[in-house]
Amino acid sequence: MSKTLTGVKLDIEGIRKEFPVLNQEVNGKPLIYFDNAATNQKPQRVVDALVDHYKKDNANIHRGIHTLAERSTAAFEDTRKVIQRFINANEAEEIIFTKGTSESINLVASSWGRKFLNEGDEVLISTMEHHSNIVPWQLICEERGATLKVMPINEAGEIVIEELDGLITDKTKMVAFNHASNSLGTINPVKVIVEKAHAVGAKVLVDGAQSTSHLEVDVQDLNVDFFAFSAHKMYGPTGLGILYGKRTLLEKMPPYQGGGEMIKDVSFTKTTYNDIPYKFEAGTPDIANVIAFKKAVEFIEEVGKENIAAHEKELLDYATAKMESIDGVKIVGKAQDKVSVISFQVEGIHHFDLGMWMDAKGIAVRTGHHCTQPLMDHYGIEGTARASFSVYNTKEEIDIFVEALKDTISKFR
Amino acid sequence: MSQSIAEVQNEIVDEFSMLDGDMEMSIGYLMELGEQLPPMAEELKSDDNIVKGCQSKVWLNAELKEGKIEFEADSNTAITKGLVSLLVRILSGRTPQEVVDSDLFFVDKVGLNRFIGTQRSNGLGAMMKQMKIYGLAFSAKAGA
């Protein structure tokens, strides 16, 4: 593993050179990419790893006895170990590869839910969940006769902890919420909620899609039962997700999908299933992306999570202050602890128009409800524009963005 | 005396060609056009008249007057409203058959695909379809 340079001022220009996509013009202006919460860009080493795999090693994994199969299998399983270390899981078998955070959550809702949820049980989520941490629970609750309950949030966009004691009861079997909100940026107090959930015997699933590339994640320290995240939001390839689950739980859960890889023996009368993690990895997995993902994790470790977090916090504070000083701009989501996500509205301007103007100025922001319609309903709004930062973004880019925003507003006044 | 559908489209193509493909100028011009769109009566902005996109809404109403379709439209976003105004300018006051047969080549020529490429996002693609459906419905009625 490369050395982490904690506390060192980052060489952002050097880092930017690793991301060729950033070096282009959009609509005649230098690209400013502020849509990192949707997906962030990929360093050259990830792209190279993908190409190298297909050029040199490509083979299907696990059952092949030839050299290429052996090489591919070793590289694939190596990523599992790297992720285990990255989130400090107890063992590599607790790391399951999926299509993304959504599939990771669906897997738990479907497999764990079918086995452990019964009529009258309750699943608790929060107001600020992404649709992918709402709908799977709605589906399984309906199927099992369980009830879905919702943790309230305050105006700033923080879960109201004082209300949890009334909501987490012995009926609660699962508490599912995000580590950081994709719409608001709020960082949720995982340990506090885990403690309350475990006190009544409930399990906890944390959606880490927005946290893994920004925050220190130690699943044993957080003591979560399940942790779901996506490679593409942490400088890795799209189409690949991870589910961490505690071995004791994963072993008790029935398979999610059937197929190759997940079996021990198959006959027409009886099939026995493979051990974890393979029990949950039916079919040929996303081999090349898994192998390339290792390079993304190495990139994060090399730059250093603490350094990334410090840089992004600086950008967040800088942009927040600048945006708040613009007349008519309202930031939605003002939690004490935030990742580098700023959702905002401008009085009298629809977010769609804002997004189009920003794009015309070479700036990529996201607009809409960000797949959190219940949260938008809570605030009584249709949507927001959202700027989100990664390690390669700079204060200079924020200056340009703020000027672009001011200029756009002037077109409507 | 009135211009054909093709002539109006050529006029629009000419207007935009003066903007030299500059995205900001194009958006600014679209917003100006939107502001000039005759206001739509509030009672016509009903749920029945919504052509829904994921991010912006379009309202579209059609009435047959003396054999010609009068389109009225509006949008809750300024840029989409400009796009909507172009369609109204081209297709309002035409016979149902003219609307059905119309080939809206100005979209490609002006490069407006950039704005309507994702039908999901602004409902303009859906609006073009809806205008033709009105054309079909009115011509069927006339033929019956």
Side-chain angles (χ1 to χ4, degrees):
Chain A
M1 176 184 145
S2 313
K3 207 171 78 186
T4 298
L5 306 165
T6 305
V8 173
K9 184 89 183 149
L10 289 177
D11 169 21
I12 302 298
E13 276 318 303
I15 287 173
R16 286 180 72 86
K17 289 202 182 96
E18 275 220 51
F19 292 83
V21 73
L22 297 174
N23 185 26
Q24 64 174 299
E25 290 197 341
V26 165
N27 291 317
K29 320 275 181 341
L31 167 68
I32 293 180
Y33 187 79
F34 281 176
D35 193 17
N36 294 287
T39 195
N40 58 15
Q41 300 299 345
K42 321 306 171 200
Q44 186 66 49
R45 64 181 88 182
V46 170
V47 181
D48 289 345
L50 273 172
V51 174
D52 283 351
H53 169 73
Y54 283 121
K55 271 166 82 171
K56 297 172 191 161
D57 299 331
N58 180 50
N60 209 335
I61 54 168
H62 291 145
R63 286 164 310 277
I65 53 158
H66 57 79
T67 303
L68 294 193
E70 189 40 51
R71 266 193 237 150
S72 290
T73 302
F76 181 91
E77 290 303 329
D78 195 35
T79 299
R80 204 188 299 275
K81 288 183 203 124
V82 165
I83 295 167
Q84 175 211 347
R85 188 193 64 219
F86 188 69
I87 63 170
N88 194 31
N90 193 35
E91 43 187 333
E93 289 74 18
E94 294 176 322
I95 306 298
I96 297 161
F97 292 117
T98 65
K99 281 192 301 192
T101 304
S102 295
E103 194 185 39
S104 296
I105 297 171
N106 274 285
L107 190 162
V108 175
S110 180
S111 166
W112 175 89
R114 256 179 218 137
K115 175 110 182 201
F116 293 103
L117 269 185
N118 293 302
E119 205 165 327
D121 287 346
E122 291 177 2
V123 172
L124 185 63
I125 59 173
S126 91
T127 308
M128 67 179 96
E129 294 315 307
H130 190 283
H131 295 163
S132 62
N133 202 22
I134 301 174
V135 185
W137 301 113
Q138 282 175 328
L139 289 168
I140 195 68
C141 281
E142 197 177 334
E143 190 183 316
R144 304 296 302 166
T147 306
L148 188 66
K149 294 215 155 183
V150 183
M151 294 185 255
I153 59 170
N154 61 23
E155 189 55 28
E158 297 160 320
I159 291 174
V160 186
I161 297 297
E162 301 77 61
E163 303 240 347
L164 293 191
D165 290 336
L167 281 167
I168 300 177
T169 68
D170 36 2
K171 285 186 180 168
T172 314
K173 293 294 175 293
M174 170 64 75
V175 182
F177 59 97
N178 59 49
H179 196 176
S181 154
N182 72 308
S183 289
L184 306 173
T186 310
I187 299 170
N188 285 312
V190 175
K191 279 186 173 182
V192 174
I193 301 173
V194 165
E195 204 171 299
K196 289 180 186 292
H198 285 173
V200 298
K203 303 301 175 204
V204 175
L205 177 143
V206 168
D207 165 1
Q210 295 295 335
S211 67
T212 16
S213 71
H214 308 283
L215 305 172
E216 214 48 71
V217 174
D218 179 332
V219 290
Q220 293 188 76
D221 181 52
L222 293 172
N223 199 16
V224 292
D225 300 293
F226 301 102
F227 192 86
F229 57 105
S230 295
H232 74 95
K233 291 190 202 286
M234 38 193 301
Y235 311 99
T238 54
L240 173 63
I242 283 89
L243 172 67
Y244 157 81
K246 286 181 179 166
R247 173 183 278 276
T248 47
L249 280 166
L250 293 176
E251 282 182 338
K252 285 182 198 145
M253 284 159 53
Y256 173 52
Q257 290 176 332
E261 289 267 346
M262 53 80 69
I263 48 90
K264 223 173 224 142
D265 285 298
V266 178
S267 75
F268 286 122
T269 49
K270 184 166 174 61
T271 293
T272 52
Y273 305 119
N274 207 335
D275 296 329
I276 62 163
Y278 308 112
K279 182 170 82 174
F280 294 107
E281 292 179 353
T284 296
D286 198 349
I287 301 166
N289 279 339
V290 167
I291 290 169
F293 183 40
K294 179 184 161 189
K295 297 290 172 188
V297 175
E298 284 176 357
F299 167 79
I300 294 174
E301 288 180 327
E302 203 174 290
V303 180
K305 268 233 183 140
E306 270 179 59
N307 294 326
I308 294 174
H311 176 67
E312 289 175 348
K313 176 84 167 71
E314 207 177 319
L315 295 178
L316 174 71
D317 291 347
Y318 184 73
T320 301
K322 282 209 147 195
M323 289 169 73
E324 277 181 331
S325 72
I326 306 173
D327 197 31
V329 171
K330 186 183 160 235
I331 292 174
V332 180
K334 293 180 155 193
Q336 201 73 36
D337 291 321
K338 279 179 71 170
V339 292
S340 49
V341 165
I342 304 179
S343 250
F344 63 99
Q345 292 191 302
V346 180
E347 213 183 310
I349 308 179
H350 195 279
H351 49 77
F352 172 81
D353 290 329
L354 273 177
M356 291 299 290
W357 271 105
M358 288 294 125
D359 180 62
K361 291 167 180 293
I363 302 169
V365 294
R366 186 143 295 251
T367 60
H369 53 59
H370 316 296
C371 293
T372 55
Q373 279 181 327
L375 176 65
M376 296 295 129
D377 290 344
H378 169 82
Y379 282 106
I381 58 181
E382 266 181 54
T384 67
R386 182 188 71 187
S388 51
F389 313 121
S390 265
V391 68
Y392 41 67
N393 291 124
T394 65
K395 283 186 179 174
E396 289 72 29
E397 288 181 312
I398 290 170
D399 289 339
I400 297 169
F401 163 71
V402 166
E403 284 315 306
L405 190 55
K406 283 181 185 165
D407 184 60
T408 299
I409 293 170
S410 74
K411 315 267 187 206
F412 288 80
R413 299 289 186 245
Chain B
M1 56 172 231
S2 71
Q3 292 170 294
S4 70
I5 286 178
E7 282 166 345
V8 178
Q9 291 189 80
N10 282 325
E11 196 177 80
I12 291 168
V13 172
D14 284 347
E15 288 164 18
F16 274 89
S17 72
M18 287 188 285
L19 305 174
D20 232 8
D22 183 282
M23 190 66 147
E24 287 195 60
M25 279 172 27
S26 303
I27 292 180
Y29 185 54
L30 278 171
M31 277 174 47
E32 263 178 53
L33 294 175
E35 280 164 25
Q36 291 161 21
L37 185 71
M40 188 178 192
E42 280 305 314
E43 64 267 24
L44 291 180
K45 291 189 200 171
S46 61
D47 285 353
D48 287 345
N49 281 340
I50 280 188
V51 184
K52 206 171 179 303
C54 182
Q55 296 205 19
S56 63
K57 278 183 206 154
V58 169
W59 292 273
L60 176 69
N61 187 59
E63 276 171 42
L64 194 65
K65 285 182 184 162
E66 295 166 13
K68 291 180 175 166
I69 305 180
E70 294 290 333
F71 284 112
E72 271 187 273
D74 200 353
S75 172
N76 64 339
T77 80
I79 296 166
T80 307
K81 193 170 172 178
L83 293 163
V84 160
S85 80
L86 292 174
L87 288 173
V88 170
R89 178 169 152 197
I90 295 164
L91 293 180
S92 203
R94 309 286 175 188
T95 65
Q97 199 54 49
E98 280 178 308
V99 172
V100 173
D101 294 341
S102 63
D103 165 26
L104 297 173
F105 61 81
F106 82 105
V107 173
D108 269 344
K109 277 205 166 172
V110 177
L112 293 178
N113 285 319
R114 168 66 191 85
F115 298 94
I116 63 169
T118 53
Q119 187 176 317
R120 259 164 64 89
S121 72
N122 65 22
L124 194 87
M127 178 180 170
M128 289 163 64
K129 201 193 257 174
Q130 188 60 39
M131 291 173 111
K132 291 214 170 190
I133 289 171
Y134 272 121
L136 271 176
F138 284 129
S139 59
K141 217 186 252 177

